């Protein structure tokens, strides 16, 4: 703790009496201020950041923060130093571009879906799952544009409509030109409780591994690109006292089914998708 204080770390006061004290990580900045990802174990004299993975002991922590060698750090710490710098909140180091605000995302994704159609093969797939034509229409499933030209055209239509695509997950630049990124498949709008589109999931056409069959529309780590988050899809009667948690957004899209089933007899085990 002495070394941590001499490093000027911001400590979570609620954890000060614990064996493991939490601090803001000076190396990654916790990807945002006010968090404490750095654990300082006062018994083993080890530190570790749960976010960026840096680890070591009090000597290497001090060395790393001050930018000096371990030997210099050891000699410095061995001196009876009573100089504790003012703890300073680290600045986020990897300032990743964040998605636009919900309303903007909803507006742009809605407009994007208006430009797209649902290919017959994708409609078939949805009908086979038991969704009605009306429900498919209402939920606004769409097919990803399958050609580069179609994707660039989509981006230019949105831009012509006055939208800046910077910050919209899925869009990126390719040699300076905006386009949509992602595998072919059909898009599933993932909405909040008010029906606003938070993000889009893609149900991939070609994917052997079942756990990779659904992916978020994202352009993380691409030029001009933006990451997505794992948003929770909410549908059905939000005033109901009973809520059901399903595994994916597509499986939660059958409020008609829920209403048609006497609620007292519904159990996870009796539903066809529970597995
Ligand atoms: Zn860190």
């Amino acid at each position: 703790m002495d070394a941590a204080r001499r490093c000027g770390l911001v400590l979570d006061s609620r954890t000060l009496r614990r064996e493991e004290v939490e601090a803001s990580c000076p190396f990654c900045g916790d990807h945002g201020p006010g968090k404490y990802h750095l654990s300082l174990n006062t018994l083993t004299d080890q530190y570790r950041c749960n976010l960026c993975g840096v680890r070591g002991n009090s000597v290497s922590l001090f060395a790393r923060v001050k930018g000096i060698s371990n030997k210099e750090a050891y000699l410095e710490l061995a001196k009876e130093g009573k100089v504790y710098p003012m703890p300073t909140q680290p600045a986020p180091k990897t300032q990743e571009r964040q998605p636009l605000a919900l309303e903007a995302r909803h507006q742009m994704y809605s407009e994007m879906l208006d430009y797209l159609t649902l290919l017959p093969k994708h409609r078939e797939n949805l009908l086979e799952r038991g969704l009605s034509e009306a429900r498919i229409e209402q939920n606004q499933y769409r097919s990803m544009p399958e050609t580069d030209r179609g994707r660039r055209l989509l981006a230019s239509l949105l831009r012509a409509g006055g939208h800046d695509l910077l910050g919209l997950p899925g869009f990126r630049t390719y040699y300076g030109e905006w386009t949509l990124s992602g595998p072919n498949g059909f898009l599933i709008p993932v909405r909040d409780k008010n029906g606003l589109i938070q993000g889009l999931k893609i149900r991939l056409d070609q994917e052997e591994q079942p756990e990779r069959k659904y992916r978020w529309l994202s352009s993380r780590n691409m030029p001009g690109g933006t990451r997505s988050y794992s948003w929770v899809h909410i549908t059905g009667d939000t005033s109901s006292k009973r809520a059901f948690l399903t595994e994916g957004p597509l499986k939660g899209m059958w409020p008609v089914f829920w209403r048609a089933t006497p609620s007292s007899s519904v159990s996870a085990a009796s539903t066809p998708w529970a597995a």
Side-chain angles (χ1 to χ4, degrees):
M1 291 315 299
D2 181 65
R5 289 186 196 281
R6 286 166 75 167
C7 287
L9 296 192
V10 179
L11 307 172
D12 183 353
S13 56
R14 292 168 300 183
T15 64
L16 285 177
R17 287 159 196 271
R18 296 187 196 158
E19 183 182 312
E20 198 140 299
V21 176
E22 314 277 339
S24 293
C25 177
F27 308 111
C28 70
D30 301 282
H31 293 188
K35 295 176 192 139
Y36 306 97
H37 285 104
L38 197 75
S39 296
L40 308 162
N41 192 310
T42 55
L43 290 185
T44 62
D45 186 45
Q46 299 284 313
Y47 75 93
R48 179 183 153 81
C49 174
N50 297 314
L51 205 57
C52 68
V54 290
R55 62 201 305 169
N57 57 29
S58 58
V59 172
S60 61
L61 173 69
F62 191 80
R64 201 167 180 144
V65 167
K66 300 287 177 190
I68 55 178
S69 70
N70 285 348
K71 187 180 178 185
E72 289 169 317
Y74 173 77
L75 293 172
E76 187 68 32
L77 287 171
K79 277 191 259 167
E80 189 68 13
K82 284 291 171 220
V83 181
Y84 297 138
M86 193 69 171
T88 47
Q89 188 72 54
K93 295 284 162 39
T94 50
Q95 192 58 287
E96 188 175 25
R97 183 175 298 111
Q98 296 299 308
L100 293 165
L102 174 61
E103 290 74 18
R105 257 182 287 141
H106 170 72
Q107 204 191 343
M108 288 158 81
Y109 279 142
S110 297
E111 212 171 305
M112 165 178 153
L113 296 180
D114 283 344
Y115 288 122
L116 299 175
T117 57
L118 187 64
L119 293 171
K121 62 179 176 184
H122 293 146
R123 187 177 299 275
E124 284 300 310
N125 182 301
L126 289 162
L127 287 169
E128 276 169 25
R129 291 163 189 267
L131 278 93
S132 66
E133 290 276 6
R135 177 56 61 177
I136 292 171
E137 212 48 53
Q138 195 185 332
N139 289 350
Q140 293 183 288
Y141 303 113
R142 297 289 189 269
S143 302
M144 282 285 283
E146 294 195 334
T147 63
D148 288 341
R149 198 170 155 271
R151 291 175 175 214
R152 287 199 307 271
L153 178 65
L154 178 68
S156 64
L157 284 169
L158 287 168
R159 278 162 54 78
H163 296 299
D164 184 355
L165 298 175
L166 197 69
L168 192 62
F171 287 90
R172 58 162 296 175
T173 55
Y174 188 75
Y175 292 101
E177 197 177 358
W178 282 97
T179 187
L180 180 67
S181 165
N184 284 339
F186 66 83
L187 293 160
I188 306 162
V190 172
R191 300 173 188 274
D192 76 346
K193 62 177 168 35
N194 300 314
L196 299 182
I197 300 173
Q198 309 181 81
L200 296 164
K201 262 199 139 162
I202 310 171
R203 194 273 184 189
L204 274 63
D205 287 340
Q206 280 169 359
E207 176 56 55
E208 297 308 314
Q209 301 162 264
E211 69 276 11
R212 299 276 295 149
K213 198 86 184 152
Y214 294 88
R215 282 189 227 164
W216 287 98
L217 182 68
S218 164
S219 42
R220 191 176 203 174
N221 299 329
M222 296 174 189
T226 307
R227 66 165 297 177
S228 173
Y229 283 90
S230 292
W231 286 293
V232 174
H233 176 68
I234 298 167
T235 187
D237 179 8
T238 52
S239 66
S240 170
K241 285 211 169 73
R242 180 184 287 211
F244 296 91
L245 193 62
T246 68
E247 183 226 344
L250 205 51
K251 293 166 185 171
M253 299 255 185
W254 294 335
V256 173
F257 177 88
W258 291 118
R259 281 196 214 103
T261 314
S263 58
S264 58
S265 72
V266 171
S267 72
S270 71
T271 59
W273 57 85

